Amino acid sequence: MKYLFFSWLAVFVGSWIVYVEYSSYTELCRGHDCKNSICDKYRKGVIDGSACSSLCEKETLYLEKCFTAKPNSQVYSGNWGDLQGVIKCQMEEAPHYDLGGEMEPRKEAVPAAFNKPTKGTSVEKFREMIISHLEAKVGDQANLADLATQVLSFTDSNKDGHISLPEARSTWALLQLNEFLLALVLQERDHTPKLLGFCGDLYMMEKVSYSPLYGINLPWIIELWIPAGLRRSMEQWFTPSWPHKAKIAIGLLELVEDIFHGPYGSFLMCDVRTTTFGYNERYDFKVMDARYIIPEATFQERIRQQRCDVDMDCLYGTDCLTSCDLTKHRCTTEVTRPNLAKACDTLKNYILRGAPSDLSDELEKQLYACIALKGSAEQMEIEHSLILNNLKTLLWKKISHTKDS
């Protein structure tokens, strides 16, 4: 029945879909331009990295299907020999800060995008630059020196024991990106896809097999014709069994735990929509898009500079909202909802549907208590930890003795 529905709908609006995709493709999908720009810098000796030779000389790393949503951040599926992954490439434009976009300075025109470190910079000086940059991003954490050591090890992409200037410039460009920083911080965990290689600020991450977390992505023209009730039902057609959903949900809760007072400071989740998450064949939870998971210190520094007239002027991404101080017409720095409340809101419909009857009432009670959390997590640390642990325990007890765990 559902397949007949989709077939009818596709025929009815097919010509519209083709027109919309074709008219926007050349504007959005500029992977060829991005690759040419990166390879030109590589050939000139400006940048280097583990993926440069394969991308620009051997051509064993190549871009396939375009998934780009914003022209300045190109996203493609890709292949690198036997490896499948997602390739991301930054398009250059004048730097600006915009609360409606990423909280990162965009790249300046070449050569300024890769002008640091400068020629003659020693490895020790580069290490100091890294520590200073990390401190500005995540705050003054005790173990930033350890993280800087990991960055230097990553920078030596050919593992020859030496860091070249082109390698250092590539790493410095990558350090400006929220997603790369989070992958670095959580590299010992399994929540973020593994970094497979890089060249300049083009990088390839491992493929995540299933996304979004639940539901399906449809062209907007089809969305217009689908009633809200049917849309909600459709979302549940494309979900795994409940025990598998429970395992995925535990993964999201563990991510919240990891980025709250983690070893390198706290991070805020500013886009908790299902489209930013996915899972692999083993039903391990994965972050699909980490651009809006940002260091709390960075968020607070930038949001306090934002002028406002109403609270909604203080919204970053879709989920990080603070209040507007009308006496100063500036945004305050404390988010109104902690990460855990937003995560539970996302999980509610996902995990309650199909839940075992002996669990559903208690699970619903715990989820609504979680959704009701207000203020920053620091202000309610005990309650935050208690609810998070209760939810994880409740789910884990139900699946720990099954093969699905």
Side-chain angles (χ1 to χ4, degrees):
M1 176 69 182
K2 60 187 177 187
Y3 301 108
L4 289 175
F5 172 78
F6 281 127
S7 299
W8 172 82
L9 202 51
V11 170
F12 186 78
V13 298
S15 60
W16 281 53
I17 296 169
V18 170
Y19 173 76
V20 171
E21 290 185 346
Y22 179 79
S23 65
S24 63
Y25 186 88
T26 54
E27 297 174 15
L28 277 178
C29 297
R30 299 174 59 199
H32 183 71
D33 295 337
C34 214
K35 176 192 171 184
N36 286 345
S37 176
I38 287 290
C39 289
D40 180 61
K41 297 182 188 74
Y42 168 64
R43 294 186 185 104
K44 289 177 178 177
V46 176
I47 58 175
D48 200 357
S50 56
C52 289
S53 176
S54 298
L55 179 72
C56 305
E57 294 175 344
K58 301 175 185 176
E59 296 191 350
T60 54
L61 191 163
Y62 51 91
L63 285 64
E64 292 189 319
K65 187 176 179 181
C66 175
F67 293 97
T68 300
K70 293 183 178 181
N72 64 350
S73 183
Q74 296 292 302
V75 181
Y76 280 75
S77 62
N79 277 290
W80 189 2
D82 295 331
L83 297 173
Q84 290 186 318
V86 176
I87 298 171
K88 301 190 178 183
C89 182
Q90 315 307 308
M91 296 296 287
E92 294 143 356
E93 62 183 47
H96 66 277
Y97 292 103
D98 178 7
L99 283 177
E102 283 193 66
M103 257 187 202
E104 300 167 348
R106 303 310 312 162
K107 307 293 184 294
E108 299 173 5
V110 177
F114 299 102
N115 69 348
K116 291 182 180 179
T118 56
K119 189 174 182 179
T121 301
S122 66
V123 173
E124 189 54 39
K125 178 62 177 176
F126 184 47
R127 178 187 176 87
E128 291 174 8
M129 287 174 60
I130 293 169
I131 292 176
S132 178
H133 175 75
L134 292 173
E135 186 174 331
K137 279 278 190 177
V138 302
D140 185 13
Q141 307 297 324
N143 46 6
L144 287 186
D146 295 338
L147 187 56
T149 299
Q150 295 175 34
V151 173
L152 289 174
S153 176
F154 168 85
T155 304
D156 181 16
S157 59
N158 59 3
K159 305 305 176 189
D160 64 354
H162 302 282
I163 295 176
S164 68
L165 182 59
E167 286 175 329
R169 284 172 171 163
S170 291
T171 297
W172 186 256
L174 288 171
L175 280 172
Q176 315 307 310
L177 304 174
N178 289 331
E179 184 166 56
F180 176 77
L181 181 61
L182 187 73
L184 198 64
V185 167
L186 295 180
Q187 61 183 323
E188 301 301 323
R189 305 289 286 171
D190 294 324
H191 307 315
T192 55
K194 302 301 181 188
L195 183 70
L196 301 178
F198 68 99
C199 183
D201 56 3
L202 177 149
Y203 57 102
M204 183 172 178
M205 311 286 284
E206 70 173 332
K207 179 182 178 181
V208 176
S209 304
Y210 302 100
S211 68
L213 187 63
Y214 66 91
I216 51 174
N217 285 320
L218 295 172
W220 66 269
I221 191 65
I222 290 183
E223 293 274 14
L224 290 176
W225 293 86
I226 300 177
L230 178 58
R231 184 69 172 90
R232 285 192 293 271
S233 297
M234 286 166 54
E235 287 182 342
Q236 298 298 338
W237 295 343
F238 299 92
T239 58
S241 65
W242 188 87
H244 289 147
K245 288 195 292 185
K247 183 181 179 184
I248 295 164
I250 290 170
L252 176 52
L253 294 173
E254 287 177 342
L255 172 67
V256 172
E257 193 171 29
D258 287 343
I259 64 176
F260 173 55
H261 285 334
Y264 305 109
S266 296
F267 286 70
L268 293 175
M269 300 170 69
C270 296
D271 187 349
V272 197
R273 292 176 298 177
T274 58
T275 51
T276 61
F277 307 122
Y279 55 95
N280 63 15
E281 295 88 347
R282 298 184 302 275
Y283 302 96
D284 297 321
F285 170 84
K286 297 286 184 180
V287 177
M288 290 291 297
D289 186 349
R291 289 175 301 163
Y292 290 93
I293 301 180
I294 67 171
E296 187 174 27
T298 301
F299 173 82
Q300 291 181 342
E301 179 62 28
R302 303 278 164 74
I303 198 75
R304 66 164 51 99
Q305 300 173 23
Q306 177 72 7
R307 194 188 183 285
C308 62
D309 295 307
V310 294
D311 287 350
M312 286 305 293
D313 292 333
C314 303
L315 177 67
Y316 171 62
T318 60
D319 293 298
C320 283
L321 178 69
T322 72
S323 58
C324 179
D325 183 348
L326 291 177
T327 63
K328 300 176 182 177
H329 287 280
R330 286 290 184 272
C331 296
T332 58
T333 59
E334 294 297 330
V335 292
T336 55
R337 299 183 76 198
N339 291 335
L340 182 58
K342 294 178 285 191
C344 288
D345 219 350
T346 297
L347 287 175
K348 180 184 63 178
N349 292 332
Y350 182 66
I351 200 67
L352 284 178
R353 186 179 179 90
S357 57
D358 61 339
L359 179 79
S360 58
D361 287 347
E362 180 61 22
L363 180 58
E364 184 175 19
K365 176 184 172 183
Q366 292 285 348
L367 282 169
Y368 277 100
C370 175
I371 293 169
L373 289 170
K374 299 290 183 185
S376 69
E378 284 189 7
Q379 295 171 346
M380 51 176 64
E381 188 165 345
I382 296 177
E383 185 179 6
H384 178 280
S385 298
L386 185 63
I387 289 176
L388 193 151
N389 288 330
N390 284 347
L391 274 169
K392 283 174 56 182
T393 302
L394 193 64
L395 294 171
W396 185 246
K397 276 185 176 180
K398 198 64 184 176
I399 66 170
S400 60
H401 301 298
T402 71
K403 60 181 173 46
D404 299 304
S405 64

